[in-house]
Amino acid sequence: GENVEQHPSTLSVQEGDSAVIKCTYSDSASNYFPWYKQELGKRPQLIIDIRSNVGEKKDQRIAVTLNKTAKHFSLHITETQPEDSAVYFCAASPGGSYIPTFGRGTSLIVHP
Amino acid sequence: DAMVIQNPRYQVTQFGKPVTLSCSQTLNHNVMYWYQQKSSQAPKLLFHYYDKDFNNEADTPDNFQSRRPNTSFCFLDIRSPGLGDAAMYLCATSRTPGQEAFFGQGTRLTVV
């Protein structure tokens, strides 16, 4: 089955800095890569996703890049704000089942 | 408005006493998932339904069962909870596999 590794487990930045979270996956047939944000006590919510036919996608301060050859994808948050503080999960959906397998999460802390 | 609703939010059960967690959705999505999430770990897929088609993960213990009586509802039954089953249980839905998953708030299960 698919295996998703996510790093770092904790990321602490100053407000205004950029944050980068990286994930690798094992199944070369995976074709859908969502990122979820989970604030304390709340449900995970999709913030951005990318499909395997695209190398990069941006949505305001958030961007995701995908390197299919290396089987890794990354989340980039620019101009971080305290409200960006949360746990971020990456996921990969393997071809066939398309059921997402999650990484273990990154706790992002943005200091004012 | 909540689109995926889990009840209860918190559940305390005795060791070995059967417990049922419920999930309902107003999205009319075809797929419903149950994930187990332990502290500082990735959500782990237990099983999912694609319409009435039940799909069990290979490593999901037999102690865990699920029912989906109709499109809107899905239940997680734990026949004999052990201390190791204490976790957050997340229900999610998607229109089809490989599309955005919408999560419920989760049920935090405590086993005493």
Side-chain angles (χ1 to χ4, degrees), chain A residues 32-102:
Chain A
Y32 175 60
F33 307 91
W35 286 89
Y36 289 85
K37 175 183 180 182
Q38 186 175 27
E39 297 177 49
L40 191 63
K42 296 188 177 181
R43 70 191 76 199
Q45 291 193 295
L46 182 77
I47 55 170
I48 195 167
D49 56 14
I50 192 168
R51 296 196 180 270
S52 58
N53 58 345
V54 175
E56 183 176 4
K57 185 177 178 180
K58 288 184 181 180
D59 183 2
Q60 299 181 342
R61 295 186 297 109
I62 295 172
V64 57
T65 58
L66 171 64
N67 183 326
K68 287 177 59 181
T69 303
K71 290 189 284 189
H72 68 70
F73 56 113
S74 300
L75 177 71
H76 305 254
I77 305 175
T78 58
E79 301 173 27
T80 54
Q81 301 167 3
E83 51 264 41
D84 294 330
S85 298
V87 178
Y88 291 80
F89 292 98
C90 64
S93 294
S97 74
Y98 304 104
I99 302 300
T101 297
F102 285 87

Side-chain angles (χ1 to χ4, degrees), chain A residues 8-42:
Chain A
S9 57
T10 305
L11 180 58
S12 183
V13 300
Q14 288 295 127
E15 181 177 2
D17 288 350
S18 295
V20 180
I21 303 170
K22 298 182 179 181
C23 289
T24 61
Y25 61 97
S26 60
D27 187 341
S28 57
S30 286
N31 57 12
Y32 175 60
F33 307 91
W35 286 89
Y36 289 85
K37 175 183 180 182
Q38 186 175 27
E39 297 177 49
L40 191 63
K42 296 188 177 181

